[in-house]
């Protein structure tokens, strides 16, 4: 056992080491740093592989999701999204009616 090691110490997983390193970089350079390097990486990928590449990987990801979750998954999220849109439309109509009536709530 080396002097740095103690019986209580444990080895760090790759994920733990990555998080620790990422937290250190974030503390040093700020959140904006990741935005900047992400944009640079995206531009380099687009230049190297072309814009069609994003369509291809999107298709692969969609197929993988379909294989993993099945058609019921898409039905479920479609209904969920549709219900949310319906709620937002109804809320917009109510707010519009309230604004037209001078702020009085209509029932």
């Amino acid at each position: 056992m080396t002097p740095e090691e103690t019986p209580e110490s444990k080895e760090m997983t790759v994920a733990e080491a990555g998080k620790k390193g990422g937290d250190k970089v974030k503390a040093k350079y700020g959140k904006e740093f990741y935005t900047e390097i992400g944009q640079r990486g995206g531009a380099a990928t687009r230049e190297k592989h072309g814009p069609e590449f994003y369509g291809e990987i999107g298709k692969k990801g969609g197929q993988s999701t379909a294989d993993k979750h099945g058609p019921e998954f898409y039905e479920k999220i479609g209904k969920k999204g549709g219900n949310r849109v319906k709620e937002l439309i109804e809320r917009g109509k109510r707010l519009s009616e309230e604004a037209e009536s001078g702020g009085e709530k209509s029932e």
Side-chain angles (χ1 to χ4, degrees):
M1 193 181 300
T2 64
E4 305 86 48
E5 292 179 321
T6 64
E8 304 88 41
S9 70
K10 66 175 183 115
E11 289 190 29
M12 195 180 304
T13 66
V14 173
E16 291 169 334
K19 176 153 177 34
K20 187 176 181 180
D23 289 344
K24 218 169 194 174
V25 170
K26 184 178 170 186
K28 184 174 182 179
Y29 296 107
K31 188 177 163 184
E32 298 78 25
F33 173 75
Y34 287 103
T35 301
E36 184 180 330
I37 63 172
Q39 289 174 343
R40 285 186 191 174
T45 300
R46 185 173 49 254
E47 191 173 308
K48 182 177 180 180
H49 298 286
E52 313 81 36
F53 175 73
Y54 293 102
E56 292 168 14
I57 62 173
K59 243 182 222 178
K60 286 181 184 179
Q63 187 59 54
S64 177
T65 300
D67 293 345
K68 184 176 181 180
H69 298 288
E72 301 82 20
F73 171 75
Y74 289 101
E75 186 178 323
K76 182 180 175 182
I77 64 172
K79 283 183 180 178
K80 190 175 183 180
N83 287 336
R84 180 67 176 142
V85 169
K86 184 179 173 183
E87 290 171 10
L88 292 171
I89 290 170
E90 288 171 357
R91 184 192 308 165
K93 285 180 181 178
R94 266 195 321 273
L95 291 172
S96 179
E97 289 170 1
E98 288 174 15
E100 288 175 4
S101 66
E104 297 174 18
K105 288 187 177 180
S106 59
E107 292 183 38

